[in-house]
Amino acid sequence: MQQPLDPQEIPPGCPAHGNVQMYGPSFGADPDSHYAQLRSYGLSAPVDIAPDVQAELVTSYDAALYVLQNPASFVRDSRRWNALNEGRVPADSPALPMMGYRPNALFSDGAAHARLRRAVTDSLATVNEHQLIRQTQQSANYLISQFSTDIRGQAELMAEYAQPLPLLVFSDLFGCPPDIGDRVIAGISGIFEGTPGADEVLGGALTELIALKRRRPTADLTTRLMEHPAQLSDEEVLHQLVTLLSGGTAPLAAAIGTSSALYLGEDWQEGLPVEDAVSQTLWNYAPIANYAAHYPTHDVELGGRLIRSNDPVLISFAAANTDPKLTEHREQLSAKAHLAFGAGPHACPAKDPAFMIAVTAVEALLNQLLDVELRVPFKALTWAPSPWSRSLVTLPIRFTPRAVPQAAGSAGAKAGQTPQQQTTASSSSGAGPSRTNAGGAPQPKGGLFSRFLAWTRGE
């Protein structure tokens, strides 16, 4: 007779423990093995997306498409969430900021969703492609200028480049003045880092920005949202801006970091373009890994598993994109057939600009640091232990230090200073750790966006 297993001998996340745990060091160390285990359940599997927060996670590509493209049976309004309404979700759960209801297009359905999404998509459509590329290049030039003259010839690319770059681009797109842009960046960065009070900082900054645009409208994304025929209220404008920030900055940072690491990695085939590295990232390392909570309007059966009405069904974009049944035929699919940007009525409205920003950012790095390379092998890099995103924790690089800083706005700032006198943006503003100002040059004032704008003016 077979002896029962000792609970201490059961691997973490094993079905014998109940739901598969999708957070913490074990998950971060090897997400792919967790996805492989989840597939043993079928098209979806029961998971703990956070401590004491249960959900059904869809891992099949076909099943993910079915849920994403079936808004009649699967809605996004999280006010339907059974466990939350029954008091079974901890009040301090890290799942609440990600899954809790907000009055934006992401959590709306039907006519309400159509109205909000139209305002967002129409406003994004007015962004000039060439202007966006210039904004991205200028932001890249500024950030590279801050670490490229370090006499050690080393940098940490996630904190000093990949993470702050989208923040600069979006602050510019929103038409932020320097002080408001600093607070927007501090607020959204703090939310992702779990900093107490960050939500209030971001809300206050955006409220002030909207009031400013009411008085003095300009040619920016905020003003276009406010002047859209949908006639959004100030509160609705604020929540759409938050959605654009949260959906556009952290995932973009992850994509820029991973794409850079892939291109510089030991297995990259020389001669392939940067676009291929970004595409491979979207397929194999989906920046938004597990998200898009849906709530069945009735009890449904998915691959033999019964899911109760109003219990959350999340999509594993990471697992769906790497579904073994799909990868067998990947060469026959369009390069854009991945689900990294979602699908159906809630698909990302800015997927083309996002791809363009990522490609431009990686190209800027390669063009300006010609001998840049990883300090560790790609396979030795570590991933953040979060279920929501697939993002590198750090990305250490080395390069030959540049002797002369770039001129403002294009090639560098403040010629005549020694490399030791150059400093980077502070980590509190989302630009990574400060560098030592060994030469005693004046420290730049203000937050990340203020310093960036001063640099573009040659100050």
Side-chain angles (χ1 to χ4, degrees):
M1 178 177 173
Q2 186 177 7
Q3 294 297 315
L5 287 173
D6 182 333
Q8 294 188 359
E9 296 177 355
I10 302 174
C14 175
H17 274 309
N19 294 356
V20 179
Q21 184 173 300
M22 298 292 291
Y23 58 89
S26 175
F27 174 72
D30 192 3
D32 292 328
S33 70
H34 283 68
Y35 297 135
Q37 178 190 338
L38 290 169
R39 293 189 183 102
S40 67
Y41 286 85
L43 305 183
S44 65
V47 301
D48 286 345
I49 203 71
D52 299 316
V53 180
Q54 293 80 40
E56 189 77 10
L57 187 67
V58 177
T59 57
S60 156
Y61 182 91
D62 290 338
L65 272 180
Y66 172 74
V67 173
L68 292 166
Q69 296 177 339
N70 191 357
S73 297
F74 297 92
V75 297
R76 299 295 297 272
D77 190 338
S78 59
R79 290 174 294 186
R80 306 171 69 104
W81 186 0
N82 284 329
L84 183 63
N85 292 332
E86 295 164 7
R88 293 187 282 114
V89 177
D92 59 350
S93 172
L96 280 177
M98 303 299 295
M99 295 173 61
Y101 175 78
R102 295 175 187 267
N104 59 31
L106 194 63
F107 292 95
S108 302
D109 302 289
H113 168 258
R115 171 177 169 268
L116 295 173
R117 182 178 174 87
R118 191 177 305 114
V120 171
T121 54
D122 289 352
S123 299
L124 285 170
T126 65
V127 176
N128 181 277
E129 176 181 320
H130 299 293
Q131 179 188 358
L132 182 60
I133 291 176
R134 285 195 300 271
Q135 287 174 318
T136 304
Q137 289 173 333
Q138 191 173 54
S139 300
N141 290 344
Y142 168 70
L143 294 169
I144 293 170
S145 78
Q146 301 301 287
F147 63 75
S148 61
T149 54
D150 188 305
I151 58 175
R152 298 172 301 165
Q154 296 183 0
E156 200 292 279
L157 211 60
M158 289 305 297
E160 298 185 63
Y161 188 68
Q163 291 167 355
L165 192 150
L167 296 170
L168 290 175
V169 172
F170 272 81
S171 295
D172 210 2
L173 285 174
F174 284 5
C176 292
D179 60 328
I180 293 179
D182 288 342
R183 283 182 283 140
V184 166
I185 289 176
I188 193 66
S189 300
I191 287 173
F192 283 114
E193 294 164 6
T195 305
D199 205 19
E200 290 76 10
V201 171
L202 178 62
L206 291 177
T207 297
E208 193 172 325
L209 176 64
I210 293 167
L212 174 64
K213 299 303 176 181
R214 288 284 181 208
R215 299 192 304 270
R216 296 196 299 274
T218 52
D220 54 64
L221 200 54
T222 306
T223 301
R224 289 168 191 141
L225 269 174
M226 296 169 66
E227 294 180 344
H228 190 271
Q231 296 184 321
L232 273 59
S233 68
D234 286 358
E235 182 184 10
E236 288 175 326
V237 172
L238 185 150
H239 284 287
Q240 307 327 301
L241 292 176
V242 171
T243 304
L244 287 168
L245 273 174
S246 57
T249 55
L252 252 180
I256 292 168
T258 305
S259 300
S260 300
L262 275 174
Y263 195 93
L264 298 173
E266 60 274 16
D267 294 332
W268 188 251
Q269 184 177 334
E270 187 176 355
L272 291 178
V274 168
E275 286 87 346
D276 283 14
V278 177
S279 291
Q280 190 174 132
T281 292
L282 297 175
W283 272 107
N284 298 333
Y285 307 93
I288 301 177
N290 306 287
Y291 196 47
H294 292 72
Y295 301 86
T297 56
H298 52 85
D299 291 358
V300 296
E301 188 175 295
L302 197 62
R305 290 184 55 79
L306 182 65
I307 305 171
R308 281 202 316 150
S309 169
N310 295 328
D311 277 354
V313 177
L314 272 63
I315 306 298
S316 178
F317 300 105
N321 279 349
T322 55
D323 185 341
K325 294 181 180 178
L326 178 71
T327 52
E328 294 172 5
H329 309 287
R330 270 262 291 269
E331 67 279 357
Q332 301 171 12
L333 296 172
S334 162
K336 297 182 179 181
H338 58 77
L339 297 181
F341 292 124
H346 284 87
C348 174
K351 55 186 177 181
D352 291 335
F355 189 89
M356 188 187 310
I357 291 171
V359 170
T360 302
V362 178
E363 287 180 341
L365 180 76
L366 299 172
N367 289 337
Q368 294 196 44
L369 302 178
L370 299 179
D371 62 349
V372 63
E373 60 183 13
L374 298 181
R375 298 206 317 258
V376 298
F378 177 83
K379 293 176 182 177
L381 296 170
T382 57
W383 301 95
S386 165
W388 315 109
S389 64
R390 185 75 184 265
S391 181
L392 291 168
V393 176
T394 60
L395 182 51
I397 59 168
R398 59 174 163 250
F399 49 87
T400 300
R402 292 203 298 213
V404 181
Q406 287 187 307
S410 59
K414 303 291 183 180
Q417 292 182 355
T418 65
Q420 300 97 307
Q421 290 174 319
Q422 303 305 308
T423 59
T424 59
S426 67
S427 58
S428 64
S429 295
S434 297
R435 293 182 181 274
T436 303
N437 191 347
Q443 290 288 344
K445 296 180 179 179
L448 173 61
F449 195 57
S450 290
R451 296 194 296 272
F452 166 66
L453 292 178
W455 179 85
T456 63
R457 297 189 295 264
E459 297 175 3

